[in-house]
Amino acid sequence: MHAYYASRAPYYDAVYAKPERAADIAWLQQRLPEVFAGREVLELACGTGFWTPWIARSARRLVATDGTAEPLSLARTRPGCETVHFQQADAYALPAELQGFDAAFAGLWFSHVPRERQAGFLAGLHACLQPGACVVMIDNNEVQLRDFPIAETDAQGNTWQHRATRDGVTHRVLKNFPSEAEWRALLAGRATDIEWRMLENFWWVSYRLS
Ligand SMILES: C[S@@+](CC[C@H](N)C(=O)[O-])C[C@H]1O[C@@H](n2cnc3c(N)ncnc32)[C@H](O)[C@@H]1O
């Protein structure tokens, strides 16, 4: 994952230039500042920071993290991110100082979390948040399979794609497509106000931490 996203960082944002994604992106860029207005937000796996300025414009404070140095260095220079604190951090082992946030966001990240690590990942994230915190995650829906069909399914039910970077290297990339039912099961007893939305190209889940 790190090698793949390090190699792809310089042209990663091309995924957001696809015309068929424009309406969803416009909706998300309106909704994110509304949801995070006045909040102290922890962003995970921010990558090149495509969504980061849309959160930063209304958040009280934003700490944006990613596990890979290359996309993070591009995010640091993105217009609209001047007030954001960027930090390299593994989403599975968040540093102890990342505590007390009342909101969290992860874009196009949860699809890369193996099914057997989903509950543990969420527990680690939730430990950084206050009770009542607002969490939003968005990711590609199955429409993305037109570009990258599933190449393999492993014993845990994780689905894998083979993706080539421009240097000619083919990477084996985990890409899961969780359903609303799977999200509700993961959040059972842990969250309220669960909202699930299926857009044309993306899914959205938001919830309030119990
Ligand atoms: C599909 S990109 C999403 C980037 C951005 N959030 C977006 O929506 O455009 C996935 C990101 O996850 C990061 N990543 C991979 N493994 C990670 C880990 N263990 N902890 C934190 N970030 C990780 C990669 O570096 C990459 O930037």
Side-chain angles (χ1 to χ4, degrees), residues 1-2 5-6 8 12-13 15-16 43-51 65-69 71-72 89-92 105-109 111-112 138 140 163 175:
M1 282 282 282
H2 294 299
Y5 281 109
R8 209 183 137 195
Y12 173 83
D13 286 7
V15 294
Y16 293 116
E43 181 177 2
L44 303 183
C46 68
T48 60
F50 182 81
W51 304 108
T65 64
D66 195 276
T68 311
L72 200 54
D90 182 350
Y92 297 110
F105 174 75
L108 283 67
W109 159 248
S111 56
H112 295 311
I138 61 171
N140 300 101
R163 301 190 195 172
K175 188 77 180 176

Side-chain angles (χ1 to χ4, degrees), residues 18 20-21 24 108 111 115 138-150 157 159 161 163 175-183 196-204:
K18 294 174 186 249
E20 66 272 22
R21 295 184 173 177
D24 284 358
L108 283 67
S111 56
R115 291 165 65 88
I138 61 171
D139 217 313
N140 300 101
N141 67 23
E142 277 97 337
V143 169
Q144 190 256 14
L145 293 170
R146 289 182 199 152
D147 294 335
F148 301 107
I150 292 168
T159 47
Q161 300 173 333
R163 301 190 195 172
K175 188 77 180 176
N176 285 324
F177 298 89
S179 66
E180 177 178 4
E182 286 169 341
W183 262 111
W196 170 266
R197 271 179 184 262
M198 187 59 81
L199 307 179
E200 285 292 316
N201 292 269
F202 301 96
W203 56 256
W204 159 292

Side-chain angles (χ1 to χ4, degrees), residues 4-56:
Y4 173 65
Y5 281 109
S7 172
R8 209 183 137 195
Y11 52 90
Y12 173 83
D13 286 7
V15 294
Y16 293 116
K18 294 174 186 249
E20 66 272 22
R21 295 184 173 177
D24 284 358
I25 291 169
W27 185 85
L28 290 162
Q29 290 176 338
Q30 182 180 337
R31 187 82 198 274
L32 291 173
E34 290 170 4
V35 169
F36 291 120
R39 292 189 175 266
E40 293 197 47
V41 186
L42 173 61
E43 181 177 2
L44 303 183
C46 68
T48 60
F50 182 81
W51 304 108
T52 309
W54 300 92
I55 302 169

